[in-house]
Amino acid sequence: MLLFQAVNELLVNVVKHAQAKNVEVSIRREGTNLKVEVGDDGVGFQMAHTEPRYQKGGGFGLFSIRERLRSYSGVLEVQSEPGAGTHVILTVPLGIAADTDTSHEH
């Protein structure tokens, strides 16, 4: 459920903010981890704007995704620059990715 929510929010952000013509989502296993990548060819942004003080509406934004992944030993990587699109990589241990118990997601 955590990965679904995170990817959903990333795709919503692409639609709302990126002005992208293309978006790509991929998922793969790397050793004991599951990696999900979301990349777009949109307007991009300055990385400083992922800090909590820039969040509006308290949604499930990048900072929140990072914190929720961290609580499951996961990692969020964001690569973006104005005019260069955005590429986000979510990495979680396979055991967490397969876990359907959402009781830890509070």
Side-chain angles (χ1 to χ4, degrees), residues 89-100:
I89 304 169
L90 310 169
T91 306
V92 294
L94 275 171
I96 299 303
D99 186 10
T100 58

Side-chain angles (χ1 to χ4, degrees), residues 48-79:
H49 290 260
T50 64
E51 296 300 317
R53 66 181 172 271
Y54 292 102
Q55 295 295 318
K56 294 180 182 175
F60 193 65
L62 292 175
F63 177 78
S64 181
I65 293 170
R66 178 177 282 124
E67 291 305 304
R68 293 184 100 180
L69 285 173
R70 187 176 294 158
S71 70
Y72 289 97
S73 301
V75 177
L76 172 79
E77 300 170 66
V78 180
Q79 302 162 350

Side-chain angles (χ1 to χ4, degrees), residues 17-82:
H17 308 292
Q19 300 172 20
K21 292 182 180 169
N22 299 290
V23 64
E24 234 177 85
V25 178
S26 67
I27 185 168
R28 71 180 181 277
R29 179 181 180 164
E30 269 189 15
T32 60
N33 291 322
L34 185 68
K35 284 201 172 205
V36 178
E37 297 187 42
V38 178
D40 68 62
D41 62 355
V43 297
F45 58 89
Q46 291 181 359
M47 293 304 297
H49 290 260
T50 64
E51 296 300 317
R53 66 181 172 271
Y54 292 102
Q55 295 295 318
K56 294 180 182 175
F60 193 65
L62 292 175
F63 177 78
S64 181
I65 293 170
R66 178 177 282 124
E67 291 305 304
R68 293 184 100 180
L69 285 173
R70 187 176 294 158
S71 70
Y72 289 97
S73 301
V75 177
L76 172 79
E77 300 170 66
V78 180
Q79 302 162 350
S80 187
E81 291 183 27

